[in-house]
Amino acid sequence: MQGSGERESGPGLQEEKRVHLIPNGHRASAGGLNGSLPPAADDKEKGGYPPELGGYPELGGYPDSVGYADPGVYPPERVVPAYQERETWTRQMDFIMSCVGFAVGLGNVWRFPYLCYKNGGGVFLIPYLLIVLVGGIPIFFLEIALGQFMKAGSINVWNIAPLFKGLGYASMVIVFFCNTYYIMVLAWGFYYFIKSFNSVLPWSTCDNEWNTPSCIEFFRHPNCENGSLANATAAPNLTCLQLAEGHSPIVEFWENKVLGISEGLDHPGRMNWEMLLCLVAVWILVYFCVWKGVKSTGKIVYFTATFPYVVLVILFIRGVTLPGAYDGIMYYIKPDWSKLGEAQVWIDAGTQIFFSYAIGLGALTALGSYNRFNNDCYRDAFLLAAINSGTSFFAGFVVFSILGFMAAEQGVHISQVAESGPGLAFIAYPKAVSLMPVAPVWAALFFFMLLLLGLDSQFVGVEGFVTGMLDLYPGRSYHRYKREISVAICCFLCFIIDLSMITQGGMYVFQLFDYYSASGMTLLWQAFWECIVVSWVYGADRFMDDVARMIGYRPFPWMKWCWSFITPAVCMGIFLFHLVNYKPLTYNNVYVYPWWGEVIGWCLALSSMLCIPVSVLYKLFRAKGSFKQRWAHLTTPVWGPHHMEYMAPDAHSRAPALPPCNADHNKVIIFESVM
């Protein structure tokens, strides 16, 4: 970081401290970064402080401990307390690894390969890559650049256009819901990982206490490969018809042992105490990964983000050597050109990108806020996008080589074993692993990879939420363990909600959160408004200038065109398609949720989506003046102290020129801006 002041270095971050001397009764700028400001008469009546210090509530601004208020009058001859610069990554690779760990998650392994084979194999890459260029990369870059430019989390980053601060609250709601239900996947994976340390995998046999009389271990028989012979003997005393109606031991392990699933949402049943212990364990692990901020997460991700690639390569080498692997891989990549004409293929491509790129959650903004101001975030965005999409494509070869082997072993078509989501992670893949030699080793490797893929996504999500919350109250109170306590409260609240997901009806609750709270519609709605606010309210050209000021050159105009026209159109088009083709939630295509369950789901979705219009109407209603005056004032950016340093020419030479406390109090300090 540039600037004067004493520098302190820590093992995981760099900090700077400064003291700003502000003359009596003057604002930070009348014609510079802050733009034109309304008269200060009302400010004095309300204490002359921004809202964080109890003053002018409808105008907003930073407290003295964070920087220059906008607008606000400083007290007579006041020395603003030492400002502790926002912590930054020790090295830029910490940021890259954190973004890789967060964005590259379970969706890359269990969702993309399934969508690829379902939507025409290799043909699916055409709509996928097109939407990456017009939607994925532009918004991914936008969120990182916003965080880096504003040096704030997902809420205060929208001080760039304070009227639309509801975008920050919406992203906080979404990421809170994600943190709540995503951890359940880790708890299930941890449980499977522990159970893998047995000489015989518990989901490979039918002689366990949770198995039913319908459990069948033997699924392959030469006369039953096409299912046409109903009376042939498939196993002792079993016909092909009985075989078709039987249950696999892995399905019974999943539904009867892990979930203990009940009849429906209205039958919560008892808690699974083994799952409770696993849930506690993963939350404790997440807490100690996050509690010290980027000092800890920046180091942990070096392992959690890279080791899954080692496991993927090992599983790939093992997979391609299995019989049937070639057929599985060809089924994955063989193009079906007729699929390009189907709208659903394009919708699936767009939805997958928004999921896998972790757009709209605010966590990317939080990670970007810890970058140095002059970091080349434009280059980083393309690098991270390439890693994300490349991982998805490579994971498909790993998954389908194993599924091809399983289909060959069972004598069925691969379409009958290919699944997506938890079905792939906890049913299809464990079943395939149980057919391999030395099955426990491969099972342990797979679930360890699953844990690491989910863990870094989880603790970066928690980091994003906590960062946004702490940015709301930067100077109101100081406590030595403020961050640690905040992380503990966040984890505990999520844990309390998670208790509903470890009951016998917990899977129905999990699906409600997954289908509604962080669905494609909520993320698309969020991304649409992000583009509109930056490009049309703040100004696309203006933000491009800001980016150029940070990275030293102007990005290709394609970014501006996407933010202004193409990306909002793509987001709204897919959003409307989802809305028109909405289907009620079901479990396993059999259980239909009751009407009150759907109402709960829509409440989860609307709790984030309504943050944007409600906050806009509230701020406009509270403001004074004509609509034009309200709009002009509420869309005027609120700048932070780092903008005074970086955006003012010759900042270093100007700094000593600040007047001492006994200087002429009528002198106004003007910070000029190249913006």
Side-chain angles (χ1 to χ4, degrees), residues 20-43:
H20 297 288
L21 303 180
I22 309 298
N24 175 31
H26 294 299
R27 298 155 185 266
S29 173
L33 282 169
N34 291 320
S36 59
L37 301 174
D42 293 337
D43 297 351

Side-chain angles (χ1 to χ4, degrees), residues 505-646:
M507 188 61 182
Y508 304 110
V509 179
F510 174 85
Q511 276 206 325
L512 271 182
F513 274 81
D514 185 45
Y515 193 74
Y516 289 101
S517 66
S519 64
M521 284 197 296
T522 56
L523 299 180
L524 290 163
W525 176 260
Q526 182 80 1
F528 170 80
W529 283 107
E530 286 181 5
C531 292
I532 293 297
V533 171
V534 170
S535 57
W536 295 103
V537 177
Y538 181 73
D541 285 316
R542 190 179 180 187
F543 189 64
M544 290 284 278
D545 291 339
D546 298 338
V547 173
R549 181 71 174 176
M550 288 192 298
I551 67 177
Y553 60 93
R554 195 177 179 86
F556 188 66
W558 173 256
M559 288 294 172
K560 180 182 71 174
W561 302 335
C562 287
W563 295 336
S564 302
F565 305 105
I566 304 174
T567 306
V570 170
C571 292
M572 188 50 62
I574 301 176
F575 174 83
L576 293 175
F577 184 90
H578 273 291
L579 204 58
V580 170
N581 294 277
Y582 167 76
K583 295 178 182 178
L585 179 60
T586 62
Y587 177 73
N588 274 353
N589 296 318
V590 177
Y591 173 76
V592 179
Y593 278 68
W595 66 269
W596 54 268
E598 284 197 62
V599 170
I600 294 174
W602 277 107
C603 288
L604 293 173
L606 293 175
S607 62
S608 63
M609 296 172 68
L610 290 180
C611 285
I612 303 169
V614 168
S615 67
V616 168
L617 294 175
Y618 175 77
K619 286 177 178 288
L620 286 173
F621 179 77
R622 290 279 319 263
K624 298 178 181 179
S626 65
F627 177 80
K628 185 176 181 180
Q629 290 172 326
R630 299 182 192 193
W631 178 271
H633 174 68
L634 291 172
T635 55
T636 299
V638 178
W639 302 117
H642 67 284
H643 292 109
M644 305 302 175
E645 173 187 352
Y646 287 105

